[in-house]
Each structure stands twice: as structure tokens, then as C-alpha cells.
Amino acid sequence: MKKYCFFILILMFMPFLCWAQSITGTVVDSDGQSIAFANVKLCQSADSTIIAGCTTDENGNFNFETKCTDRMYLRISFVGYETKCVELVESGASPIHVTLESMRLDEVVVTARRKLYQQKNGEMIANVKGTILETVPKTADIIAQLPFVSGQDGVFTVFGKGVPVIYINNRLVQDLKELDQLRPSEIKKIKINTMPGAKYDATVGAVIQIITEKAQGEGLSGTLYASGKYSECWSAEEYASFNYRHKVWDIFASAYLIQKQQQIDMNAHQQLNVTDAVHEVNYQEEEKVKSDRQAVVGGINYNPNEKISAGVQYVFNNSNWKNDMFNDITHTVNNKMKMTQQLASSESPDHTHNVNAYFSGNLGDNLSLDFNFDMLKGNETNNMHSWFPDETVDDVNTANNREYGYYASKGVLTYDSKYVNLEGGAEYSYTDMTQTYDIDNMALGINSSNDVIKQNRWALFVSAKSQFGNWGLGAGLRYENIDFDYYKNKALNKEQSKKYHKLFPNLFVNYSKRDLQVTLSYERKIKYPTYSALRSNIQYSSPFVYESGNPMLLPQLQNDFTCMLGYKDIKMMLGFTLYEDYMTQVVELYNENPVALLKPNNVEDVTSCFVALSYSPTIGLWAPNFEAGMQWQGFSLSGKRYDKPVFKIRWNNSFTFPRQWFLTVNAGWRSEGNSGIYLLKPSLQTNVNIGKTLFDKKLSVSLMINDIFKTDKTRWSIDHNHVVFDYDKYSDSRYVQLTVQYNFNATKSKYKGGSSSDEKQRL
């Protein structure tokens, strides 16, 4: 009897004697995409008491401990998805799939949608898969819809942070035309990082990272694209890309042709206050621009398993730009008027060869290594011929040539656990640039030049970030060493050669609870002069306007303080920047002659502030985004203040209709205000895009009308150093564009190569 009692007692207390076990798994949707922040509960049966549980992380993974696992169930739930129960023994074998919840009422299907935008550790995360953003026809259009991001003709700006660098997974996008090859349906999410940290070049103010879904399938896939645009002239773009995948090998190639024509109308007025007279100059200019660009991309990847990937990619670009200009110039001195006609023709051929190779692999459960190598060769030429039919001024012929080579490598070692993320690495780059300028009219006082720049640049960086409950902390440090040699007319110029040894720290703290997110950050950044800005020559543009570089130009250092706040669909950014050796363009009289010389220069004691508010709800088929912002600078030069604030308002609207129709209506306005010494004039742009996808989203057709009211113009004025300059330019911004894109099969290139350095941006 005692034996039986003892046995019964053991059975009664068995649940309390079990050892604790770790329960792990992944929650994904029907397309295999991870579901972040889903609820995972451990239950005694499919509908009984909850024993333990957690929520999934941003990658859909869950992990918790329990003492008992016998005959237990996992209950997975997430807003907009059907609740699913699975036996615990099945959970670890493969990802747990959940499906969107829908109800059919009289042929009307109501489907729940994922939350469009989230904020985490200073990053704005846009969920594309399963949201209204997935229906937008082009990836560039999605980016232009994101909070605090504006875009026009493929060029993007992050409010208060400048032009971002864009990555597709871990690969730096060298040519923004690559975005056209990426379908929105292939994008999982897009991250906007306004605090890039030590891993990125100290010149980078913002990073946009596109995360794609996992590539599936084998065989041949591809994209065919054609676009026609009409304003005053016709323009066209075509490209084709193909990818062939077989087991561990992945071969890809693409080619595109871009033919653009544009008519530009410009009116300008100059007042040049020379010692003995006031010169008034008026311009009425018409330009016809034509450009042709061809590019070829080819590469191969090796992917033996999910942990290792390697590959190489080659890109060849060839383009030619031609500009024919007709300019009526009226020159008045002491009430005496002279009329001059300037005719000019310029041609700019250039070509580049770019090779990128990469290795990406896991060295252990939590350790990974990424390595990239880059090589770039390029040559650019600009030949300009100016002549005057009335023979009042001698003809001028100029030739400007740039030839450069660039080599770089970068390695990043990452340790990632549930408690901390550590990154460290190094990068090196070498740049060799030759810039020559030849002019045949020596009477103008402009000399020919031959400059050579050789630069060795290396950097070390380390960063760490961790999450403690509702709090997140991160810090990083980057060290950059630059050895810059400047050769003027083939002779080393020690005064213009420079050495830099700089430290760039960054720090952020984040608090997140339910619908509230707050991030505070500090970063020290630098902006190096472009190689064009460092040239020693003076460039002839017209009889009364010259442009020059400045070999003595110093890098611009800046201390950025940023605050990001988010509550539900409302986001806010505030920023303050303190500049050292602020770089800006100034204007002065050239040798006290009636000629305006524009050149870059450094200025001390400059500050900048900005504030922006964004509201992005989703209302049924309608996804509006309303933004308002203000930016102003504390800037004075030669006793004159340039601190008038600039206000911006943007209202974007996306509509998704039944039968795969979509419509976007976007409007943006900017007020008058100062940027550097420029007083920017108000501008307004309104765009409409309507389209439809067919054949299970394989074919998309869209029609866009850009700048409907013809109000997007480049207008500014300068009043500085005895020069007054008013400028009004219209560049064919109102146009109608028809785009057709066809995608076949599901495979895409797995190329994961990144960039060794952002030094290429200066070229």
C-alpha cells in the first residue's frame, strides 16, 4: 500500500518537479514574412489557462522558459490575423504560419491592415509588406511617401539631415536607378535612421535601409521596364534585368538606356557695385539639354547555405550630356545700354568602371563578419564653346577634365545576442584625382590649371546598443585618419596639403512604452569638401559670372542634437546643430571688375535648428501623410544676418481601390527663407499618379502628371559683397509620364555586397 501511495504522490507533484526548458520559434505570415510583436502564450490546452508567454521581436522570433511542456499548446495572436493554436512539439520544427483575418459580407471583403509606421531606437520603420505601401508602383515613390523624407526625380532629402545614403539590405546603392529594379511587393520594410552611428562614414547624416523578403525559387526571372515622358520635349527610359539561380549559384545581369531632353528658361538680374560705377546686367536665357546614358551590370553570387554568401559585381556607365544655350544679355552702365548675344554649346562625355566584391558569413551562433572591396575608375570631360555674333566679345573655349581612381575595403564584425549588440571594424580607401582646366582666352585673366589630389583614408569604429525593458541605450566611437596631398601644376603644395585626425562619438537613449516612443541623441559629424570644390581654377560661365573652387577649404564639423517623439500615428523631430568651419558659397567681385565670382568658403559660429511634425493615419483605402516643419539658421557674414526661417508643408495621399487600382495625390509648399547666403523664394509642387497592376502584380501601368500648375521653379536672390543677384529658372518640371513594368518569375539576385566607404560620394 505504501508503494502505491508513494507512486501517486510522485504523479501529483510531477508538474512541479520538471526542469525548466527554453521554448523558441518564429511566427510568420502566409508569405513567409516575420510578424513582429505578436502575442505567444503557453496554454494547458487549446482554450484553457495561460501558463507563460511573451511577444515576438522585430524578426518574429520568440523565446521564453517553462518547467512543463507535456501536452501543452502555443496560442499565437496578432491584430488583423487569425488566432492560431499549435501543439508545443510542433513549434520548434518549422515557422508558425498565421493568416490575415477577413470577413465576407455580400461580396465585400474587409481585411485588417498592419500598422504602417513604427519607431524603435531612433529609427523610423515603415512596414511595406501587407500594407497600403505595397500597392505603390515604384520603390522610389514609396521612399518619397515616408515621414520626413521628400523626393524629386530620384533625389531624396531627410528633413534636417540632408541627403541620405540608401542601402538595399547591406549593399550601398551606388546608382538610384537600381531602385526601379526592385518591386514594392519584394520589400519587407524600410528603415529611416537619422542617427547612423559609428559604423557609417562620419559624413553620413541619415541612412535609408530597404529590407527585402527572402528570395524564393530557382530558374530565370527578370524585369522589363519602359517609360516615356513629355513636357516641351520627349524623353524615354528602358531597362531589362535578368537573374538565373541554380542551387548555390546566382547569376544576374541588367542593362538600361536613358534618353532625356529638357528645355530650360532662365531670367536673372545682376547689380555689380564697382568703385566708379553701378553695372546692371539682365539675362534672358534659353537652354536645350539632351543626355544619353547607357549602363551594364553583371555579377555572380555563391550561397552554399544560409550562413555564408559571397559574390562579385561589375558596373559600367557611359553617358553624354549636351547643352545648347541662347542668351540675351543687357548691360547698363551710367545709363548707357549695351546688348549682347551669347551663344554657347557644351558637351560632357563621361564613363566609369566599378567593381564590388563581398563576403558575408556567420562565424558562430552570435558572431558574423561582413567584408567588402571596391574599385572605381572614371573619366569626365566638359568642353564649352562660347561665341558672340555681334563680335563685341572674343570667343571663349574651355576644356575641363577629371580622371580618378578609387580603391577601398571595409570589414565589420558583429556580435548579437538577446542582451546586447556589438559592432566593430575598420575601413581603408585610396583616392587619386587629376583635374585639368584649359582656356584659350588669356585676356580674361583666367589661367589654365593642372591639379592632382592623392588621399589615404582609414578609420576604426566600435558601437554597442542594448535594451533594458522600456529603455534602450547605445553608444559608439569612430576614429578617422586622412593624409591629403595636393599637387598644383604637378608640384606638391604643402600649404594646401592636409592631415586630419578626428574622433566622432555618438550616444542615444530611447524610451518606449505602448504607443509612446522618445529618443534623444548626440552625434559629431563631418562634411568633407568635394574634389570639385577643392579645384584651383576659375571657371568661365558668362562675361559677368565666373565660378571657382577653393583649395584652402576646410572640412565642416558639426555637433548634432536630435530628439524624436512618436505617439500612435503622430511623429515629431527636433534638432539643433552647432557648426565648426561651416562651408557655404559666397560671392564677390572678381579683381574689382564688374564680374561676380561664386566660390565656396568657410564661416565661423553658425547654428541651425529644425522642428517637424508628421501625421500618418490609415483610413480604409486612404493613407494620408501630413507634414509641417520649420528650419532656421543662426548665420551672419560681413555684418549682414541671414536668418529668415524656412517653412515647409507637405500633404501626400495614397488611395488603393478594388481591382488593383491606385492613386496618389501629393502637394508640397516651401516658404521664403535663408539657406546660406541665399534667400530662397517660395515654391509649390502638385503631382498626381494613377495606375493599375495586372496579372497578380506582375504587370504595372501608371500615368503621372508632375507639377500640374507649373509652379515648381528655382528662384533665389543674393545680396552680399557689393553684388546683388536675382535668379529665376524653370526646368521643364511639368510633364506627363507613362510607365510600364513587367516582372516574371519570383527569383531575384541575392547579391549582398555593401560599400567599403562613402568616399565615392565626394567624386
Side-chain angles (χ1 to χ4, degrees):
M1 184 70 181
K2 293 181 179 179
K3 292 182 179 179
Y4 290 112
C5 291
F6 181 73
F7 181 70
I8 292 172
L9 287 172
I10 291 176
L11 292 177
M12 291 176 59
F13 287 96
M14 183 66 73
F16 305 99
L17 297 175
C18 296
W19 294 102
Q21 296 187 34
S22 181
I23 307 301
T24 62
T26 304
V27 179
V28 299
D29 62 16
S30 56
D31 294 322
Q33 302 305 304
S34 60
I35 303 295
F37 313 115
N39 294 311
V40 181
K41 305 299 181 184
L42 180 69
C43 306
Q44 289 182 346
S45 64
D47 57 358
S48 67
T49 307
I50 296 173
I51 304 299
C54 66
T55 58
T56 60
D57 62 18
E58 65 173 356
N59 296 316
N61 300 317
F62 63 86
N63 186 351
F64 63 90
E65 291 186 351
T66 181
K67 292 184 177 180
C68 293
T69 61
D70 187 31
R71 303 183 68 178
M72 294 289 178
Y73 287 81
L74 287 178
R75 183 191 301 165
I76 293 88
S77 62
F78 187 69
V79 176
Y81 289 82
E82 295 180 357
T83 299
K84 185 171 184 177
C85 290
V86 296
E87 288 189 42
L88 184 59
V89 292
E90 300 176 356
S91 64
S94 61
I96 302 173
H97 291 263
V98 294
T99 57
L100 282 171
E101 185 177 35
S102 63
M103 295 183 295
R104 181 173 293 275
L105 300 173
D106 296 330
E107 301 302 323
V108 177
V109 177
V110 180
T111 303
R113 296 182 182 275
R114 297 179 65 190
K115 190 173 182 180
L116 210 58
Y117 301 111
Q118 297 171 315
Q119 183 178 324
K120 185 176 181 181
N121 290 340
E123 290 183 330
M124 192 80 65
I125 302 173
N127 294 309
V128 178
K129 193 68 177 179
T131 71
I132 195 171
L133 294 177
E134 188 181 18
T135 65
V136 177
K138 296 173 64 176
T139 298
D141 297 333
I142 296 179
I143 297 175
Q145 297 279 338
L146 300 179
F148 309 123
V149 180
S150 59
Q152 179 65 27
D153 293 329
V155 179
F156 304 100
T157 304
V158 177
F159 194 89
K161 296 293 184 176
V163 179
V165 295
I166 300 177
Y167 284 79
I168 298 177
N169 297 322
N170 291 321
R171 181 175 63 82
L172 178 66
V173 175
Q174 304 289 355
D175 189 331
L176 292 177
K177 281 298 172 185
E178 291 183 44
L179 299 178
D180 292 337
Q181 302 176 31
L182 183 63
R183 288 184 296 168
S185 60
E186 298 169 325
I187 300 174
K188 181 179 178 181
K189 57 188 173 183
I190 300 177
K191 296 181 179 180
I192 309 167
N193 188 349
T194 57
M195 295 163 280
K199 176 181 176 180
Y200 298 96
D201 197 298
T203 63
V204 176
V207 174
I208 294 178
Q209 188 173 20
I210 302 171
I211 310 298
T212 62
E213 61 179 336
K214 183 179 178 181
Q216 302 289 338
E218 290 200 351
L220 181 67
S221 66
T223 298
L224 303 175
Y225 172 97
S227 176
K229 182 172 73 175
Y230 180 75
S231 50
E232 297 293 332
C233 310
W234 277 99
S235 298
E237 298 182 27
E238 303 91 21
Y239 78 73
S241 65
F242 301 95
N243 189 89
Y244 179 75
R245 179 172 301 141
H246 180 66
K247 296 182 179 179
V248 301
W249 295 101
D250 193 33
I251 301 173
F252 58 93
S254 62
Y256 55 84
L257 172 65
I258 303 172
Q259 298 171 306
K260 288 187 177 181
Q261 295 189 80
Q262 189 177 35
Q263 180 172 313
I264 299 174
D265 299 307
M266 187 271 287
N267 293 291
H269 169 76
Q270 275 181 279
Q271 179 179 306
L272 307 167
N273 298 306
V274 186
T275 304
D276 57 349
V278 176
H279 295 252
E280 302 281 348
V281 184
N282 290 289
Y283 303 86
Q284 269 194 319
E285 182 178 295
E286 180 181 302
E287 298 180 45
K288 293 188 180 296
V289 181
K290 182 179 180 180
S291 64
D292 296 293
R293 182 182 177 193
Q294 307 88 34
V296 178
V297 180
I300 187 170
N301 295 310
Y302 174 65
N303 300 273
N305 53 55
E306 291 296 323
K307 295 183 178 181
I308 296 177
S309 180
V312 63
Q313 175 180 271
Y314 168 75
V315 181
F316 172 72
N317 271 293
N318 183 72
S319 64
N320 187 64
W321 177 83
K322 192 175 188 305
N323 184 4
D324 293 318
M325 181 187 72
F326 179 85
N327 193 4
D328 277 330
I329 303 174
T330 303
H331 180 203
T332 304
V333 185
N334 298 331
N335 296 322
K336 293 182 180 180
M337 182 181 297
K338 294 181 180 180
M339 300 290 294
T340 303
Q341 283 188 347
Q342 179 189 11
L343 303 179
S345 177
S346 59
E347 189 171 3
S348 302
D350 70 80
H351 64 268
T352 60
H353 302 269
N354 186 7
V355 176
N356 172 259
Y358 80 96
F359 169 83
S360 178
N362 293 340
L363 306 181
D365 292 337
N366 300 317
L367 196 63
S368 63
L369 173 67
D370 289 288
F371 178 80
N372 281 273
F373 171 79
D374 278 286
M375 180 180 72
L376 177 68
K377 289 284 189 179
N379 186 286
E380 301 173 12
T381 302
N382 181 271
N383 298 313
M384 180 176 175
H385 173 52
S386 298
W387 69 97
F388 304 86
D390 54 11
E391 297 183 354
T392 56
V393 182
D394 293 335
D395 294 353
V396 181
N397 295 293
T398 63
N400 193 352
N401 181 263
R402 300 199 319 149
E403 187 172 350
Y404 50 86
Y406 162 82
Y407 307 89
S409 60
K410 181 177 182 178
V412 182
L413 194 63
T414 303
Y415 175 81
D416 194 7
S417 72
K418 60 185 295 185
Y419 303 106
V420 67
N421 176 276
L422 298 173
E423 287 186 324
E427 64 182 61
Y428 169 79
S429 67
Y430 172 76
T431 306
D432 190 337
M433 165 80 75
T434 299
Q435 300 181 110
T436 62
Y437 184 78
D438 295 300
I439 184 170
D440 67 352
N441 192 330
M442 305 304 294
L444 298 173
I446 299 176
N447 297 320
S448 299
S449 64
N450 186 332
D451 301 332
V452 176
I453 295 172
K454 295 183 179 182
Q455 177 180 277
N456 284 280
R457 177 181 180 182
W458 59 271
L460 300 173
F461 54 88
V462 63
S463 65
K465 59 183 178 181
S466 186
Q467 191 76 25
F468 304 94
N470 296 329
W471 292 90
L473 297 172
L477 184 65
R478 182 181 179 92
Y479 172 75
E480 290 194 359
N481 183 295
I482 292 182
D483 192 347
F484 179 89
D485 291 330
Y486 194 99
Y487 297 82
K488 187 173 182 179
N489 294 324
K490 298 183 178 182
L492 179 64
N493 189 307
K494 293 184 178 180
E495 185 180 10
Q496 295 173 4
S497 299
K498 304 175 181 69
K499 294 183 185 297
Y500 301 109
H501 311 278
K502 302 290 185 182
L503 282 173
F504 301 97
N506 67 83
L507 176 69
F508 80 84
V509 57
N510 179 77
Y511 177 78
S512 178
K513 187 174 183 180
R514 295 179 183 175
D515 294 323
L516 176 67
Q517 302 89 32
V518 182
T519 304
L520 299 172
S521 71
Y522 163 75
E523 285 188 296
R524 185 166 172 82
K525 291 290 185 181
I526 192 168
K527 180 181 179 182
Y528 295 104
T530 64
Y531 289 107
S532 177
L534 291 169
R535 70 188 191 276
S536 65
N537 69 279
I538 296 174
Q539 179 176 309
Y540 175 88
S541 297
S542 80
F544 302 98
V545 179
Y546 297 167
E547 297 178 65
S548 78
N550 182 358
M552 303 303 297
L553 203 60
L554 298 173
Q556 169 185 292
L557 290 166
Q558 56 193 67
N559 298 280
D560 293 341
F561 300 86
T562 306
C563 176
M564 291 187 66
L565 300 98
Y567 181 73
K568 294 185 177 179
D569 295 322
I570 300 174
K571 304 288 186 285
M572 178 179 282
M573 281 183 64
L574 303 96
F576 172 78
T577 301
L578 177 64
Y579 294 98
E580 303 170 29
D581 296 319
Y582 178 72
M583 284 192 296
T584 186
Q585 195 170 49
V586 298
V587 62
E588 60 188 35
L589 295 175
Y590 179 59
N591 293 337
E592 297 303 319
N593 293 318
V595 176
L597 175 65
L598 297 168
K599 71 173 186 178
N601 210 349
N602 293 111
V603 180
E604 295 293 337
D605 302 324
V606 177
T607 60
S608 177
C609 302
F610 72 86
V611 58
L613 182 69
S614 174
Y615 178 54
S616 306
T618 300
I619 307 171
L621 304 177
W622 178 33
N625 171 241
F626 180 80
E627 288 184 12
M630 178 177 66
Q631 191 167 8
W632 67 99
Q633 59 185 23
F635 179 32
S636 62
L637 192 62
S638 301
K640 185 177 179 65
R641 295 196 61 83
Y642 301 91
D643 54 5
K644 187 171 185 178
V646 177
F647 296 90
K648 294 182 180 181
I649 296 176
R650 187 178 72 164
W651 188 18
N652 290 346
N653 302 272
S654 298
F655 301 88
T656 303
F657 299 108
R659 300 182 183 276
Q660 299 181 356
W661 283 92
F662 58 84
L663 171 69
T664 60
V665 182
N666 302 332
W669 171 81
R670 188 196 67 213
S671 73
E672 182 177 89
N674 284 117
S675 176
I677 65 170
Y678 290 81
L679 179 64
L680 305 178
K681 301 301 179 66
S683 69
L684 172 68
Q685 187 178 65
T686 308
N687 308 326
V688 175
N689 187 17
I690 186 170
K692 179 178 173 58
T693 58
L694 303 157
F695 309 124
D696 195 24
K697 299 182 181 180
K698 292 180 180 179
L699 177 68
S700 65
V701 181
S702 66
L703 180 68
M704 181 175 70
I705 305 175
N706 194 77
D707 190 24
I708 296 175
F709 304 110
K710 203 176 180 178
T711 51
D712 185 22
K713 297 183 178 182
T714 303
R715 299 190 301 150
W716 48 260
S717 64
I718 295 176
D719 185 357
H720 178 65
N721 272 352
H722 309 292
V723 177
V724 177
F725 208 145
D726 292 297
Y727 188 85
D728 188 335
K729 180 179 178 180
Y730 173 70
S731 302
D732 253 2
S733 59
R734 182 168 68 179
Y735 59 80
V736 178
Q737 183 173 14
L738 177 66
T739 301
V740 179
Q741 181 168 318
Y742 177 71
N743 303 277
F744 60 92
N745 291 347
T747 61
K748 293 293 290 184
S749 170
K750 292 183 180 180
Y751 192 78
K752 300 178 182 179
S755 176
S756 306
S757 169
D758 295 300
E759 173 72 14
K760 276 192 279 190
Q761 308 301 319
R762 297 176 68 196
L763 299 175

